[in-house]
């Protein structure tokens, strides 16, 4: 394990082998980081989480959420009991390098940020190799099927298939 910056590790939590941690990291209780995790620039990971072979940058991941296999979570807020399928990615940078816009009540709001991921609410599950576009809001208890690209906000309980 390579650690650059400060790490606060809660009771019963552990960092498994071959992890690289840049910047500051706060980890709650009974959480497992790794193996092979890459944690960048200021992250908060709550209690009872598992972040495995995944990259996390500048994000908040709340209690009992899992990102075990080959995911990317950047500049995002992840609710409780969210499960990321293997290879799920959250985009945090527009392809045209413009500021990320967030749709709220049908109006596009300029976030003023070049990098902004997603807000994924409690209980959502994503399938393998799904992608969530930057600036999207995914409601509670949504289901995103494998290989699906989330290009719009999802309402609570919405199921998104190909």
């Amino acid at each position: 394990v390579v650690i650059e910056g400060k790490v606060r590790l809660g009771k019963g939590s552990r960092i498994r082998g071959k992890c690289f941690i840049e910047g500051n990291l706060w980890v709650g209780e009974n959480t497992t980081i790794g193996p092979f995790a890459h944690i960048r620039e200021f992250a908060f990971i709550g209690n009872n989480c598992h972040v495995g072979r995944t990259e996390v940058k500048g994000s908040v991941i709340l209690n009992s959420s899992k990102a075990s296999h080959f995911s990317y979570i950047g500049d995002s807020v992840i609710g409780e009991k969210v499960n990321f399928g293997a290879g799920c990615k959250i985009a945090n940078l527009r392809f045209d390098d413009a500021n990320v816009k967030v749709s709220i009540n049908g109006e596009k709001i300029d976030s003023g940020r070049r990098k902004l991921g997603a807000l994924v609410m409690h209980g959502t599950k994503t399938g393998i190799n799904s992608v969530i576009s930057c600036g999207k809001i995914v409601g509670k208890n949504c289901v995103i099927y494998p290989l699906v690209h989330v290009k719009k906000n999802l309402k609570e309980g919405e199921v998104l298939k190909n």
Side-chain angles (χ1 to χ4, degrees):
V1 175
V2 175
I3 297 174
E4 297 175 355
K6 296 178 182 176
V7 174
R8 188 265 183 203
L9 196 62
K11 183 179 178 183
S13 291
R14 64 188 182 143
I15 299 174
R16 297 180 64 200
K18 309 273 195 244
C19 290
F20 185 52
I21 299 170
E22 303 174 70
N24 297 327
L25 169 64
W26 190 97
V27 178
E29 297 181 355
N30 302 310
T31 288
T32 300
I33 306 295
F36 302 104
H38 183 184
I39 313 293
R40 299 172 45 206
E41 304 173 20
F42 302 106
F44 171 94
I45 301 170
N47 300 326
N48 305 304
C49 292
H50 180 222
V51 175
R53 187 175 281 214
T54 289
E55 183 176 354
V56 176
K57 176 199 165 272
S59 295
V60 173
I61 300 174
L62 297 180
N63 298 339
S64 302
S65 289
K66 312 261 184 280
S68 300
H69 314 291
F70 306 106
S71 293
Y72 177 75
I73 301 168
D75 304 295
S76 297
V77 177
I78 309 303
E80 295 182 348
K81 298 181 181 176
V82 171
N83 189 72
F84 286 91
C88 177
K89 308 289 191 284
I90 297 177
N92 67 337
L93 178 66
R94 286 175 46 131
F95 194 70
D96 63 4
D97 218 22
N99 285 351
V100 175
K101 293 180 176 67
V102 180
S103 180
I104 299 175
N105 297 324
E107 184 181 349
K108 294 245 183 200
I109 309 292
D110 187 335
S111 70
R113 295 181 53 117
R114 196 173 140 262
K115 290 189 173 185
L116 178 65
L119 170 59
V120 181
M121 305 236 193
H122 307 317
T124 290
K125 293 179 172 45
T126 73
I128 64 168
N129 294 321
S130 56
V131 176
I132 302 172
S133 286
C134 51
K136 298 306 172 244
I137 300 170
V138 178
K140 290 182 183 177
N141 301 312
C142 289
V143 176
I144 300 166
Y145 269 64
L147 301 172
V148 169
H149 182 179
V150 178
K151 299 177 186 176
K152 65 179 184 80
N153 291 348
L154 300 181
K155 294 180 178 137
E156 183 174 341
E158 193 167 342
V159 176
L160 190 61
K161 298 180 180 182
N162 274 338

